[in-house]
Amino acid sequence: MDIHILAPKAGEDYPTDWNEFLTWFASEEACLSYLERLRWPAGFVCPACSCIDQPYRSSRGRMVCRDCGHQCTVTAGTIFEKTRTPLRVWLAAAWYLTSQKQGVNALGLQRVLGLGSYQTAWAMLHRFRAAMVRPGRERLHGKVEVDETYLAISDRQNPVAAKGRKNNTAKTLIVIAVEMLEPKGFGRIRLQRIGDDSAASVLPFVEQAIEPGATVHTDGSAAYRTLRELGYLHQRTVLLGLDIAAHASMPGVHRVAALLKRWILGTHHGAVQPAHLDAYLDEFVFRFNRRSSSSRGMLFYRLLQQAVVTSPVTYGDVVKKTRARSKNSE
């Protein structure tokens, strides 16, 4: 069953406001029950043998398969695996993260939830970002603008990284794809960090992000010359010598690039570790593609729905990225 096809209802599948949230999740047991319903909407499925049956329930929230005897918990195999932070705090973090239109940084989350350390808030946000990309999501279609932009980020010392590093500004190349709606407006987007603007870098992104048969609108870059051979209709606009400005001829990618830069600077003060930039891009895409949702509770529901089917991301996994990049740049 594809749980993403179901249409959740406010007040039944997710809280409508903060007061209702507090009522729904007054205990750890209530949080576990909610996550169990999200993870197995059609009933418990044994992770070991795929048996569908009500499990035996033992102490400490363990469930035992009636068929093979496998023991598991609701949080095992999810981003919540082995967490020592109460689930009430996790769900409150998810609510706050999705209820803030521009998102939240780790320091803000730490203050709001009264967390004991910055590192805890920082790791929680990275775990949630890992759940913001749904596997097998539908590719963009129709008319799609594609272009690259440079994103300047401050490679400041991370609280979990080694001390003594200087603050540096790094310019990273990002490729952007934006669905263009008729008669006007933007649909969904995709973002990805790339090493350069060559065909070897941009074409795999196009194939992964855009459905064949779509019209791909690009500038005059030679990197996109083989798009027709890949099954796309190619609209090419050579900007050199054009009387109109670039942002007027390709408004979608320029608008998204401006919003992305403003978000990085505003919410995160430009201080994003280059090793973690992909996670921030995933969050921006998650937010942008759901910008028209009138219910913040729906975003909370979708985030947790993906969190219980996303493989574990430990604090050590996140820190390892920082250390690996630091070592490679020495």
Side-chain angles (χ1 to χ4, degrees):
M1 178 183 293
D2 186 346
I3 61 175
H4 298 279
I5 295 176
L6 303 178
K9 296 181 180 179
E12 294 183 14
D13 295 300
Y14 57 85
T16 56
D17 55 39
W18 178 243
N19 286 332
E20 194 166 84
F21 175 94
L22 293 176
T23 301
W24 279 36
F25 306 115
S27 66
E28 287 294 288
E29 290 72 22
C31 296
L32 277 170
S33 178
Y34 185 74
L35 293 180
E36 181 178 345
R37 183 154 55 99
L38 288 179
R39 185 172 183 179
W40 297 298
F44 174 77
V45 180
C46 176
C49 69
S50 300
C51 172
I52 303 176
D53 196 0
Q54 282 297 316
Y56 294 110
R57 297 181 184 270
S58 61
S59 60
R60 295 180 297 174
R62 291 190 177 276
M63 295 177 287
V64 183
C65 176
R66 294 177 181 270
D67 190 47
C68 70
H70 176 76
Q71 296 186 27
C72 70
T73 63
V74 174
T75 57
T78 75
I79 68 167
F80 308 111
E81 182 174 281
K82 296 181 180 179
T83 180
R84 288 178 289 182
T85 302
L87 287 177
R88 293 182 66 196
V89 177
W90 273 103
L91 267 60
W95 183 270
Y96 185 65
L97 176 62
T98 52
S99 64
Q100 302 300 305
K101 190 173 183 180
Q102 296 302 321
V104 61
N105 56 39
L107 184 59
L109 186 67
Q110 180 192 8
R111 289 172 174 169
V112 168
L113 298 183
L115 298 173
S117 71
Y118 175 93
Q119 286 88 342
T120 298
W122 180 77
M124 289 178 76
L125 288 176
H126 274 292
R127 289 192 190 186
F128 277 129
R129 291 180 184 119
M132 288 182 174
V133 175
R134 179 166 59 87
R137 58 185 177 177
E138 183 185 4
R139 288 183 284 185
L140 309 184
H141 53 75
K143 182 177 180 180
V144 183
E145 289 185 1
V146 178
D147 200 6
E148 312 89 46
T149 188
Y150 278 100
L151 183 64
I153 55 179
S154 300
D155 188 2
R156 299 178 183 177
Q157 178 186 327
N158 191 286
V160 299
K163 296 182 179 180
R165 293 181 59 190
K166 295 181 179 179
N167 295 343
N168 298 310
T169 299
K171 282 191 174 183
T172 305
L173 190 61
I174 306 295
V175 60
I176 305 171
V178 185
E179 280 181 337
M180 303 301 293
L181 305 180
E182 296 295 341
K184 63 179 181 178
F186 311 136
R188 297 167 299 148
I189 68 169
R190 295 287 186 269
L191 302 173
Q192 184 176 302
R193 175 174 52 170
I194 54 176
D196 54 49
D197 59 357
S198 66
S201 294
V202 299
L203 293 182
F205 167 77
V206 170
E207 290 184 284
Q208 183 181 32
I210 305 173
E211 193 73 30
T215 298
V216 180
H217 183 192
T218 72
D219 58 17
S221 171
Y224 299 101
R225 284 182 178 174
T226 61
L227 280 177
R228 291 187 181 276
E229 298 173 19
L230 297 175
Y232 299 96
L233 300 177
H234 188 193
Q235 179 183 346
R236 187 165 175 259
T237 301
V238 179
L239 300 177
L240 185 64
L242 202 64
D243 291 335
I244 60 175
H247 69 268
S249 62
M250 298 183 68
V253 290
H254 285 85
R255 178 62 173 165
V256 170
L259 291 173
L260 173 63
K261 293 173 183 178
R262 187 185 307 168
W263 180 72
I264 291 290
L265 287 174
T267 300
H268 303 288
H269 310 294
V272 173
Q273 284 286 306
H276 301 133
L277 179 59
D278 293 329
Y280 289 90
L281 296 181
D282 289 341
E283 180 182 352
F284 184 84
V285 170
F286 177 87
R287 292 183 177 282
F288 188 93
N289 289 348
R290 293 162 178 79
R291 66 196 181 280
S292 60
S293 175
S294 59
S295 171
R296 310 316 291 181
M298 173 69 85
L299 300 187
F300 166 80
Y301 177 86
R302 291 303 187 196
L303 179 58
L304 288 183
Q305 191 180 46
Q306 292 174 201
V308 295
V309 295
T310 300
S311 298
V313 179
T314 67
Y315 178 79
D317 292 334
V318 181
V319 174
K320 193 181 298 181
K321 279 189 176 183
T322 306
R323 289 174 177 167
R325 185 187 180 279
S326 176
K327 184 176 181 180
N328 293 335
S329 61
E330 287 177 354

